[in-house]
Amino acid sequence: MEYNEHEAKMTDQIKVAFIYDPNYSFLNGTHFDKTTYYFFMHALKRNKKINVTYFPASEKFDVTQLNGKYDIILLPNNFHEGSPKILDGIETTSIPVISRVGDPHDIKWKNKIPYHKKFKINYYFNFMDSTYFYKFYPKDFKYRTIVFGLEPSLYKNLKPYDKRIKNKILNSGAVGKTTLKSRIANRILNPQRSGWYFYKLRTMCNSLSYVDYNGIVDGKYMFENYIDMLSSYCASIAATTYYPTIKYWEIPASGCLTFMEITEQNAGNYLGFIDGKTAIFIDEFNYKTKFQEFLNSSDDPKWKKIAKDGQEFSLQNHSNDNAVNNLVNLMEEIL
């Protein structure tokens, strides 16, 4: 029989069944945050080592139809948000299941632990460091940090750094309410789920006159395109209290000088950014000094260089294609 190189390559590919809820706004492209959408719905298709088939199902999906045909089952969430409510026949299949994990801190109030057996999950992944995952999940659950979220094609036509706003620093995303009444109420009724709890420094930054805040109104940013908003400023803030979010690599990828909260508490060093070279590290004690240093010398070329180096580092190390490669490595290890 004649050797067909194309068929051999196809045979060598890992056959992946991606089972998802098509109504999930993070996957159908209707949500303002499209990072998850681009990762699952676009970047997976580009990797030559895997052959992905998409199975949309909201309520129930019959897993038995996959037996003998697929190597891996991939889920977008270890909960019935994004994934179907029922995976019928999952208990009898020998196909390994890999699932993205949502916010680890909501495990109790969303009652996610039963889904470990319900979906027969072998491995979890997301962009958080493993230390944060295991603060909430059992130590025998397997987890891999895979930093995803940057779709390289979206970062090609950015406004040049020299034409951006330089006398203000951009702050974006959810923040805590600053009224005394709200803070007291959240401390009593909602102690570990408020904006102040997760975004303390980000909230504190909003009191500064030289910080421009663009938050989320009615479920979306005031700018139609978040990357366009970022690329209007020379500098922007990435600050989360307990773990880095996608802003930490979105902001530098947009060509911004990134003031990045990196502390022992949020364990953000795993991202690989270097203070003074690819970002400017801040905390609750030095952020004002760091901001003023930039604003007092915003024309100094060193800031532009840090922004440029941060952009290159982010796009090289935290792109969706790099993330899919890491996911494929995990699949190969499991198989």
Side-chain angles (χ1 to χ4, degrees), residues 168-171 210-212 233 235-237 259 291 294-295:
K168 297 277 188 176
I169 300 171
L170 176 66
N171 194 21
Y210 48 79
V211 169
D212 277 354
Y233 289 79
S236 186
I237 299 164
F259 290 99
F291 292 165
F294 163 70
L295 292 168

Side-chain angles (χ1 to χ4, degrees), residues 14-28:
I14 298 172
K15 296 179 178 62
V16 179
F18 180 58
I19 308 170
Y20 69 104
D21 180 357
N23 298 315
Y24 189 48
S25 62
F26 286 95
L27 289 179
N28 62 24

Side-chain angles (χ1 to χ4, degrees), residues 35-146:
T35 51
T36 304
Y37 166 76
Y38 279 112
F39 176 74
F40 283 110
M41 309 307 286
H42 290 265
L44 285 177
K45 299 176 184 178
R46 295 196 295 264
N47 195 287
K48 302 302 182 184
K49 289 187 175 182
I50 56 176
N51 185 2
V52 184
T53 304
Y54 290 76
F55 292 97
S58 297
E59 295 296 320
K60 183 165 68 172
F61 180 80
D62 180 9
V63 176
T64 61
Q65 64 183 290
L66 306 177
N67 292 334
K69 301 175 183 177
Y70 292 89
D71 303 306
I72 292 285
I73 292 172
L74 182 62
L75 300 176
N77 203 351
N78 61 325
F79 193 54
H80 61 255
E81 293 174 349
S83 301
K85 294 178 181 177
I86 299 171
L87 297 181
D88 200 25
I90 191 69
E91 67 282 352
T92 63
T93 188
S94 59
I95 305 173
V97 178
I98 299 175
S99 177
R100 169 186 162 272
V101 63
D103 292 332
H105 50 261
D106 65 11
I107 185 173
K108 287 187 177 180
W109 62 275
K110 286 191 174 181
N111 193 28
K112 287 185 174 180
I113 283 292
Y115 285 84
H116 181 71
K117 289 185 177 180
K118 189 175 180 180
F119 289 169
K120 202 179 176 183
I121 298 171
N122 297 86
Y123 233 110
Y124 297 86
F125 77 94
N126 207 334
F127 52 74
M128 301 91 172
D129 185 62
S130 60
T131 54
Y132 193 73
F133 176 82
Y134 287 117
K135 280 178 66 175
F136 305 94
Y137 279 83
K139 302 300 180 186
D140 60 338
F141 284 20
K142 295 179 179 179
Y143 174 81
R144 179 70 54 87
T145 299
I146 297 178

Side-chain angles (χ1 to χ4, degrees), residues 71 91 100 103 132 137 161 180 202 244 260 269 283 303:
D71 303 306
E91 67 282 352
R100 169 186 162 272
D103 292 332
Y132 193 73
Y137 279 83
Y161 183 88
L180 182 61
R202 186 192 296 177
M260 192 177 287
N269 281 313
D283 56 38
W303 304 119

Side-chain angles (χ1 to χ4, degrees), residues 173-232:
V175 293
K177 294 182 179 179
T178 56
T179 63
L180 182 61
K181 181 179 179 181
S182 176
R183 293 185 66 179
I184 293 173
N186 275 310
R187 191 171 296 175
I188 296 171
L189 302 174
N190 197 25
Q192 295 186 349
R193 288 174 58 185
S194 70
W196 269 102
Y197 181 78
F198 286 110
Y199 313 115
K200 182 180 178 183
L201 179 54
R202 186 192 296 177
T203 302
M204 292 165 63
C205 289
N206 277 354
S207 65
L208 303 172
S209 60
Y210 48 79
V211 169
D212 277 354
Y213 175 64
N214 281 291
I216 299 169
V217 179
D218 296 328
K220 61 181 180 180
Y221 281 105
M222 288 179 276
F223 275 65
E224 186 66 27
N225 186 309
Y226 182 59
I227 298 172
D228 287 346
M229 178 176 74
L230 290 174
S231 64
S232 297

